[in-house]
Amino acid sequence: MEVLAQGIGPIFTDPDADKARAFFRKKSRALMPKVMSVKEAVEKFVHDGEYLCTGGFGANRIPAAVCHEILRQGRKNMGFAGHTSTHDFQILCAGEVFNKLDVAYIVGLEARGLSPNARKYMESGKVNVSEWTNYSLSVRFKAAAAGVSFYPARNIMGTDTFHYSGAKVIECPFTGTKYAAMPAIWPDVAAIHVHEADIYGNCRIRGITVSDLDLARAAKHLIITCERLIQNDEIRRDPSFTSIPYWCVDAVCEVPYGSYPGNMYGEYFSDEEHIKEWLKVEENPEEFKKFLDRNIYSCKDHFEYIERNGGMHKLLKLREKEFMFSKARD
Amino acid sequence: MADYNTMELMICTAARELEDGASVGVGTGAPCAAAMLAQKAHSPNLVILFEAGGAAPLIPEMPISVGDSRTTWKAVMASGMCEIMETACRGMLDYTFLGGAQIDMYGNLNSTRIGPDHQKPKVRFPGSGGANDFGSFCWRMMVMTPQDPKRFAEKCSYVTTPGWLQGGDSRAKSGLPLGAGPYKILTNMAVMDFEPESKRMRIIAINPGYSEKDVQDNCGFELLKAKKIVENKPPTKHELALLREQIDPYRYVIGR
């Protein structure tokens, strides 16, 4: 096939579909319990140098507990998909976890402003960058989930976003229309936070799914954290609610409030005070180091982190805010 | 002295572009306020889409993220990014509002970096997010932005999101979907569109209190002028009441 134009950005993962098939041929389909702690899951499935993805949307339904644990265990030199990433990106930058980055949205926390530390890290020259867009990375996961090596999309052509990406412009064999071919990403490991899962990894997600259904299928290893464990009987009672099947999943960790300080649809709103404090403290490197020690490095787990930031009283307020009861009660 | 500020005027101008039954892809901040105002003022069936998956919500209060729970409040569907962008790509997204650190005379936008070295930029911004996607697919892309000569640049240091690219038929030749592109630029001083042949930015309306000279003085490139330049209408009392009392009571956006 003729390539009409080509970006100069690196492709950090192998887009070969047959190599991916050879991997998935060996992935277990056994219905077995996969419940473990976040610490254990990160020890087992997240390794230096590998390519990592996180689910959700930046500070909404994010696997915050896994991100913190990755910092505690000191993972380095990873690849990362900066796909709709905001607070999760901010955490990983604090630990300088990755040095290869597929960018779609980074550094910013949407309406909250930019992260000074993430920006500093990205301006340091320590990170090898390839440029994409949110939809481009979505279809790169979609291709991988479908077991094909690329996906044709009609965005990015003619821009610097294309020039600094690893995409190629090709011609449709039927119509002659130009398409940007987006190479599949099969991440080594992904972490996704969901509402409910059974001990085998069958998952239910409420609210928006972002790109997580494709990401779950694309990932070679998948860590699920869930608000609640539910019985397998409940999954089988109505399988129409299952959006990730157990054979995609390697670890199931029950972490109530696992998206904190992020938002969790139908459960709790984001802790804007805490995120604001985080953004502010990043302006002062000394203070930021103390802040990280207090909130991540000296915490045993996610619950200790939450307890240090208001515990159940705070969470109750965030639940009220999610359902917009707060105005009625104030 | 007018009893409204320029942010309020920009939001009201933007809201009036969104007719009932149309669809609009929005981000947080002013674009979301404009969509909410349109929905409450004159377009009850405006289809508001958020890139993360929220589809046709009745937004109760200003979201802080395009993926937070407010973006699916009383929505018809909580979907995903592909659903929203595929809807746009197959031609069902009428409007979107984007912004950036720089915009050039063809409506190309930079939200990625300042400085020549991509691996070690002088200033790093968030990047495309969904902007390039909406900008590529949406029939009529609009920009809401304050106007100053640095932002309205002769040349963007990086083109994140396509406008009319190099003007003329360059966008049509690029492979991007035909017929879609920048439509209007709404600033604190004026409203601009694009001259149909050259695709260069052109003044079509001036906001109350500003002159054509003000607009040109605050632009880093030469603006074309429409044959008839009108004065943009100020916000109505009704629009301001909705904006201040229901949409942004804490003045997150209109207080900027």
Side-chain angles (χ1 to χ4, degrees):
Chain A
M1 184 177 279
E2 194 191 346
V3 172
L4 305 174
Q6 187 166 336
I8 61 166
I11 298 174
F12 301 118
T13 49
D14 190 342
D16 186 325
D18 282 311
K19 283 188 193 156
R21 276 175 60 83
F23 175 88
F24 286 110
R25 186 178 194 178
K26 290 187 182 150
K27 182 157 176 155
S28 170
R29 291 86 158 135
L31 187 76
M32 50 184 233
K34 294 159 191 167
V35 177
M36 61 186 82
S37 67
V38 171
K39 182 168 179 279
E40 221 180 318
V42 171
E43 276 166 5
K44 257 178 135 161
F45 299 111
V46 184
H47 307 114
D48 284 358
E50 287 184 345
Y51 193 94
L52 168 75
C53 293
T54 54
F57 195 94
N60 309 294
R61 202 172 47 69
I62 53 166
V66 173
C67 295
H68 283 207
E69 186 60 31
I70 287 171
L71 261 61
R72 278 193 289 271
Q73 294 192 23
R75 293 292 176 277
K76 294 285 177 196
N77 304 320
M78 297 195 79
F80 183 67
H83 172 246
T84 71
S85 62
T86 67
H87 183 59
D88 43 2
F89 187 80
Q90 191 182 14
I91 300 169
L92 297 173
C93 280
E96 302 200 349
V97 168
F98 57 83
N99 59 7
K100 298 173 283 292
L101 183 68
D102 282 315
V103 173
Y105 184 94
I106 58 165
V107 172
L109 276 83
E110 301 189 74
R112 306 171 187 101
L114 301 179
S115 152
N117 183 65
R119 194 164 166 175
K120 199 170 81 186
Y121 188 49
M122 291 311 301
E123 291 165 3
S124 70
K126 289 180 190 169
V127 185
N128 190 4
V129 166
S130 198
E131 211 72 30
W132 307 85
T133 73
N134 275 344
Y135 180 60
S136 301
L137 290 186
S138 293
V139 299
R140 294 184 67 191
F141 298 136
K142 196 189 201 39
V148 299
S149 54
F150 76 94
Y151 191 94
R154 301 193 73 185
N155 60 348
I156 83 170
M157 291 175 284
T159 64
D160 288 319
T161 306
F162 170 79
H163 180 68
Y164 288 95
S165 78
K168 298 183 182 198
V169 176
I170 56 170
E171 204 170 80
C172 167
F174 302 101
T175 64
T177 308
K178 287 179 187 170
Y179 284 89
M182 308 284 182
I185 298 181
W186 281 281
D188 294 303
V189 59
I192 298 176
H193 187 62
V194 305
H195 289 77
E196 297 174 332
D198 70 8
I199 60 172
Y200 310 111
N202 293 300
C203 300
R204 290 175 171 180
I205 296 174
R206 294 179 59 215
I208 55 169
T209 49
V210 196
S211 299
D212 292 357
L213 307 187
D214 288 321
L215 175 59
R217 287 150 180 85
K220 291 179 175 172
H221 296 104
L222 178 58
I223 299 170
I224 292 293
T225 58
C226 63
E227 288 289 318
R228 284 175 290 285
L229 277 176
I230 57 170
Q231 296 216 336
N232 180 252
D233 280 354
E234 174 58 18
I235 293 283
R236 291 184 191 271
R237 186 184 62 79
D238 193 344
S240 52
F241 294 127
T242 309
S243 54
I244 300 171
Y246 73 91
W247 52 83
C248 293
V249 177
D250 296 88
V252 179
C253 315
E254 189 177 29
V255 188
Y257 301 101
S259 178
Y260 177 89
N263 173 213
M264 187 71 179
Y265 176 83
E267 302 279 347
Y268 45 92
F269 203 69
S270 44
D271 185 352
E272 291 305 321
E273 280 174 9
H274 180 63
I275 295 175
K276 207 172 176 181
E277 185 194 352
W278 194 309
L279 283 169
K280 180 80 195 148
V281 80
E282 282 189 359
E283 289 168 9
N284 180 333
E286 283 298 303
E287 288 300 310
F288 185 43
K289 197 179 165 299
K290 278 187 226 160
F291 178 89
L292 290 174
D293 281 339
R294 177 183 137 80
N295 286 295
I296 300 182
Y297 292 108
S298 73
C299 287
K300 184 162 67 73
D301 56 22
H302 198 61
F303 305 133
E304 198 166 341
Y305 167 54
I306 290 173
E307 276 161 22
R308 289 181 187 189
N309 288 284
M312 273 312 292
H313 292 286
K314 171 61 78 60
L315 295 175
L316 191 61
K317 273 205 157 34
L318 299 177
R319 292 186 73 85
E320 287 177 357
K321 200 173 170 193
E322 172 66 6
F323 294 103
M324 295 199 290
F325 295 152
S326 51
K327 278 177 197 157
R329 291 192 189 188
D330 278 351
Chain B
M1 194 60 200
D3 60 350
Y4 57 86
N5 65 35
T6 49
M7 182 57 92
E8 288 171 328
L9 173 64
M10 275 162 66
I11 292 169
C12 292
T13 307
R16 290 174 200 151
E17 296 287 341
L18 306 173
E19 74 273 16
D20 199 24
S23 58
V24 60
V26 299
T28 52
C32 191
M36 288 167 78
L37 177 60
Q39 199 173 52
K40 286 180 196 293
H42 53 82
S43 299
N45 299 307
L46 181 68
V47 176
I48 302 176
L49 299 172
F50 289 93
E51 62 179 279
L58 303 176
I59 308 170
E61 60 177 38
M62 197 69 74
I64 191 131
S65 157
V66 296
D68 78 32
S69 297
R70 305 305 182 241
T71 65
T72 46
W73 189 268
K74 296 184 198 284
V76 299
M77 184 168 58
S79 69
M81 180 162 287
C82 281
E83 175 72 31
I84 300 302
M85 293 307 177
E86 286 163 1
T87 302
C89 189
R90 70 173 183 270
M92 291 194 75
L93 185 67
D94 299 310
Y95 301 104
T96 191
F97 294 106
L98 302 175
Q102 290 180 313
I103 180 168
D104 70 15
M105 68 171 75
Y106 302 112
N108 299 302
L109 291 164
N110 175 16
S111 59
T112 300
R113 67 157 149 87
I114 303 289
D117 185 349
H118 194 64
Q119 300 295 341
K120 200 178 173 187
K122 196 167 148 233
V123 183
R124 176 72 215 201
F125 298 118
S128 161
N132 179 295
D133 311 325
F134 275 147
S136 297
F137 301 149
C138 177
W139 289 114
R140 291 177 159 181
M141 181 261 271
M142 290 188 272
V143 174
M144 290 169 84
T145 181
Q147 185 155 356
D148 64 65
K150 263 186 153 172
R151 196 179 289 264
F152 282 70
E154 182 79 53
K155 191 176 181 338
C156 291
S157 25
Y158 182 104
V159 174
T160 310
T161 297
W164 293 111
L165 296 178
Q166 295 85 41
D169 61 354
S170 60
R171 179 165 168 136
K173 283 184 177 159
S174 71
L176 295 174
L178 294 175
Y183 174 57
K184 284 185 184 172
I185 311 298
L186 319 173
T187 77
N188 52 326
M189 297 183 184
V191 179
M192 273 83 74
D193 74 350
F194 294 85
E195 191 279 314
E197 290 300 312
S198 65
K199 306 284 198 238
R200 274 180 58 186
M201 203 182 287
R202 161 175 94 169
I203 306 174
I204 55 170
I206 304 278
N207 290 345
Y210 292 100
S211 67
E212 283 175 37
K213 185 174 181 303
D214 293 330
V215 181
Q216 183 59 68
D217 287 350
N218 283 281
C219 185
F221 50 85
E222 192 198 342
L223 286 161
L224 301 179
K225 288 172 189 172
K227 275 196 187 127
K228 188 165 178 278
I229 294 175
V230 297
E231 184 170 91
N232 194 16
K233 289 197 186 83
T236 64
K237 279 196 173 127
H238 179 56
E239 288 169 329
L240 286 173
L242 287 171
L243 202 49
R244 292 169 184 175
E245 286 155 31
Q246 294 184 30
I247 295 164
D248 192 15
Y250 302 110
R251 304 183 61 80
Y252 292 131
V253 179
I254 60 177
R256 268 183 217 164

